[in-house]
Amino acid sequence: MKNCEDTTLDVERSSFERLSIKDRLALRMHLAMCPQCRKYFKDSTTIDTLLKKRFSHLGEEYKFTQEEKDEMKRKLAG
Amino acid sequence: MTNQDIDRAQLVEDHSDYLLSFAMTKLRDIDLAKDLVQDTFVSALTKLESFEKRSKLRTWLTSILNRKIIDHWRKAETRYTDPISNFFDQDDSDRHWLMEKKSDSSIANIEQVLEEEETMNELKDCLDKLPEKWNGIVSSKYLEEKESEQICNDFDITPSNLWVIIHRTKLLLRDCLKSKVVR
């Protein structure tokens, strides 16, 4: 039986790589029995969704001033 | 493409603000970010022949900028001897968060509580409270959608370091967002 720490790390690992059958089973069993880790799993998923949303429309949140742009153009013109 | 084919002024007009915004998902210092963007244009113009038309110009510029950000971190590490891995050697007392912290409420309903724009603003605010490198890692994963192997390489960390950083990032973001919802 995996402990809570291993379980929460496996939750994050699973977003990068496919867990082995053994780890997937252990994760599922632990989540079924542990309300705290279930909550972590739920919050982790929510934050994933929020972060994906935050980065899905990276606009031009920061801007150079026109003077800075002109200065850069001058430098690049060589 | 050769050096003559490219309109340098147009390059700056079209991409500088985007590149700056990209850099600021990973850095806090806007002046440094601006310097790195400028360096990016300079480097790009000296190696235009390595640009393959198959890839988009912006993607190519972003990858040059990204390399510069990583180099900056590497240099900063040797200067301040504060490698990210030090973080894991420090006091481990906060690791057993489940035991000591009773977190009864969940943030799963945050999007019902806050307007989308408000949620995104709070999230950005919370991201700013993370250690800078963690922002870099979050951006690598969620914006650039890099594989774990690439991220570990860029940041000189092991896969288990990466899971721990993502885990702690989520805990910090959760607590931060929770404090914004429960007011």
Side-chain angles (χ1 to χ4, degrees), chain B residues 24-84:
Chain B
M24 287 302 285
T25 67
K26 303 186 173 220
L27 301 167
R28 297 277 152 69
D29 179 348
I30 182 113
D31 292 326
L32 171 67
K34 286 178 175 176
D35 283 349
L36 293 181
V37 171
Q38 182 162 305
D39 290 352
T40 298
F41 286 124
V42 173
S43 301
L45 289 172
T46 62
K47 50 182 176 189
L48 271 178
E49 67 284 354
S50 74
F51 171 67
E52 291 177 44
K53 282 228 167 84
R54 280 182 285 133
S55 68
K56 273 164 68 183
L57 195 52
R58 177 170 282 189
T59 313
W60 183 63
L61 290 168
T62 307
S63 71
I64 297 175
L65 173 59
N66 210 17
R67 182 46 46 199
K68 292 194 183 293
I69 294 172
I70 290 164
D71 286 347
H72 158 75
W73 277 327
R74 294 234 165 105
K75 271 184 226 145
E77 262 176 14
T78 38
R79 257 204 314 279
Y80 306 118
T81 61
D82 183 26
I84 199 164

Side-chain angles (χ1 to χ4, degrees), chain A residues 4-5 8-9 12-13 15-17 36-37 39-40 42-44 46-55 57-64 66 68-69 72-73 75-78, chain B residues 8-9 12-13 16-17 20-21 24-25 30 34 37-38 41-42 45 95-98 103-104 106-108 111 116 119-120 123 138 141-143 148 163-164 166-167 170-171 174:
Chain A
C4 291
E5 198 179 326
T8 50
L9 292 183
E12 301 312 332
R13 182 159 69 93
S15 75
F16 285 98
E17 60 187 37
Q36 292 281 27
C37 284
K39 192 178 298 156
Y40 177 82
K42 214 163 116 188
D43 285 337
S44 170
T46 304
I47 292 170
D48 267 331
T49 312
L50 293 178
L51 287 172
K52 278 180 197 146
K53 215 179 263 180
R54 186 258 174 278
F55 287 115
H57 44 79
L58 179 75
E60 294 174 352
E61 297 169 13
Y62 293 85
K63 289 181 191 293
F64 284 94
Q66 195 54 51
E68 287 170 330
K69 282 184 192 169
M72 249 191 298
K73 288 178 200 167
K75 279 187 186 157
L76 293 176
Chain B
R8 293 159 185 232
V12 171
E13 280 303 327
S16 59
D17 291 339
L20 182 62
S21 304
M24 287 302 285
T25 67
I30 182 113
K34 286 178 175 176
V37 171
Q38 182 162 305
F41 286 124
V42 173
L45 289 172
R95 293 199 71 158
H96 302 287
W97 59 279
L98 282 165
S103 53
D104 290 331
S106 157
I107 56 152
E111 290 184 288
E116 172 155 330
T119 309
M120 285 300 120
L123 179 63
V138 167
K141 173 165 167 50
Y142 291 93
L143 175 64
S148 56
W163 323 139
V164 172
I166 297 285
H167 170 56
K170 296 250 177 99
L171 292 180
R174 182 193 66 182

